[in-house]
Amino acid sequence: IAIALLVFIAVNYEELSFFALDSDLATPSAMEGVAAQPADAQPPPVARSALERLKDSAEVGNVKDQLTLAVKYSTADGVAKDQAEASRWYLMAAQGGDVHAMYEVSVRYTHGYGFTKNNAGADVWRQRAASKGHPEAAWEFAHMYGTVTGKGAVISQHKNSDPGDSSRQLVMWLTRATESGSAVAKHELALVRLFGISKG
C-alpha cells in the first residue's frame, strides 16, 4: 500500500502541487488581502505639475500666485510667452487688490499689451493704483492735469475746463506721488511751488 501511494504521488505530483497552492490562497489571511482590494480599483492619480498647482491656487483667488503667473507669461519663464494670458492674470490680481497689478493693468491698457488699447480703462486703473500709493501711477495721474517744466507747471487744456480744479488736482497727485517715494514728483512739486502754475 505504501509503495502504491508513493507511485500515485510521484505520478500526480504537478496536480497535487496545484491544489496545495490553491489551498494556500483560500486561507483566511489570503482571502482578507483579496477582499481588501476594491473590485473597481483605479490607478493612483497622476501627480500635478508645479505649474498646474500654481494655476489651481491662482484660480481660487491667491493674488501672489496670480502675479507669479502674470510674470511667467509676460517673460516666458517656464511657459510660452503670452501677453494676453499675462494680462488676464494681472487683471485678476488687480481685482484682488494688488496695487502693482493695478498699475501694470493701466500700462497694458495704454500700450495694448494683451488688451485692446483702452485709454479710459488705463485711466481707471492708474487712478486706483495712485489712490493706493503707487508712486509712478500718482505721478502719471498728476500729468493728466498739467505738465511741469523748469519754470513751473502748465495746466492741460483737455483734462478739465476749470484751471483752478486742474491746478489743485496736479498739486494733489504730485504730493501723493512724493509721499509714496517718487523723487521725480518731489522735484516737480518743488518747481511748482517755486514758480507757480499757468494756464496753457
Side-chain angles (χ1 to χ4, degrees), residues 3 20 26 32 39 53 57-58 67 81-82 87 89-90 127 137 144 147 149 154 156 167 176 189 192-193:
I3 292 173
E32 286 171 11
R53 291 193 306 272
S57 175
L67 283 172
K81 191 169 191 173
D82 186 337
S87 293
W89 290 113
Y90 273 123
Q127 184 173 8
M144 294 174 71
T147 57
T149 70
V154 178
S156 170
S167 299
R176 284 195 183 190
L189 188 59
V192 171
R193 289 178 173 158

Side-chain angles (χ1 to χ4, degrees), residues 162-195:
D162 178 3
D165 185 54
S166 289
S167 299
R168 286 187 294 276
Q169 293 290 332
L170 174 66
V171 171
M172 181 187 80
W173 289 109
L174 283 176
T175 302
R176 284 195 183 190
T178 298
E179 290 168 351
S180 298
S182 172
V184 175
K186 183 176 183 179
H187 174 70
E188 289 186 355
L189 188 59
L191 289 173
V192 171
R193 289 178 173 158
L194 183 61
F195 297 107

Side-chain angles (χ1 to χ4, degrees), residues 35-196:
Q37 298 296 323
D40 59 345
Q42 299 293 324
V46 177
R48 294 177 66 72
S49 70
L51 181 62
E52 289 171 325
R53 291 193 306 272
L54 188 66
K55 285 183 178 180
D56 289 344
S57 175
E59 289 286 3
V60 297
N62 185 313
V63 173
K64 181 177 177 261
D65 290 342
Q66 290 167 350
L67 283 172
T68 300
L69 282 169
V71 171
K72 279 184 172 293
Y73 281 104
S74 180
T75 61
D77 176 16
V79 295
K81 191 169 191 173
D82 186 337
Q83 294 298 349
E85 189 68 1
S87 293
R88 182 173 85 86
W89 290 113
Y90 273 123
L91 182 58
M92 287 178 72
Q95 291 167 337
D98 185 86
V99 66
H100 298 293
M102 291 176 188
Y103 178 67
E104 183 64 28
V105 168
S106 77
V107 170
R108 287 173 169 269
Y109 272 128
T110 298
H111 299 289
Y113 298 148
F115 291 131
T116 302
K117 283 187 180 183
N118 181 335
N119 289 331
D123 289 350
V124 166
W125 285 107
R126 186 176 293 110
Q127 184 173 8
R128 288 180 186 176
S131 297
K132 290 194 172 285
H134 194 282
E136 287 85 2
W139 179 79
E140 288 175 14
F141 206 72
H143 283 258
M144 294 174 71
Y145 293 95
T147 57
V148 180
T149 70
K151 295 182 179 179
V154 178
I155 293 303
S156 170
Q157 291 294 313
H158 70 277
K159 181 64 181 171
N160 195 324
S161 59
D162 178 3
D165 185 54
S166 289
S167 299
R168 286 187 294 276
Q169 293 290 332
L170 174 66
V171 171
M172 181 187 80
W173 289 109
L174 283 176
T175 302
R176 284 195 183 190
T178 298
E179 290 168 351
S180 298
S182 172
V184 175
K186 183 176 183 179
H187 174 70
E188 289 186 355
L189 188 59
L191 289 173
V192 171
R193 289 178 173 158
L194 183 61
F195 297 107

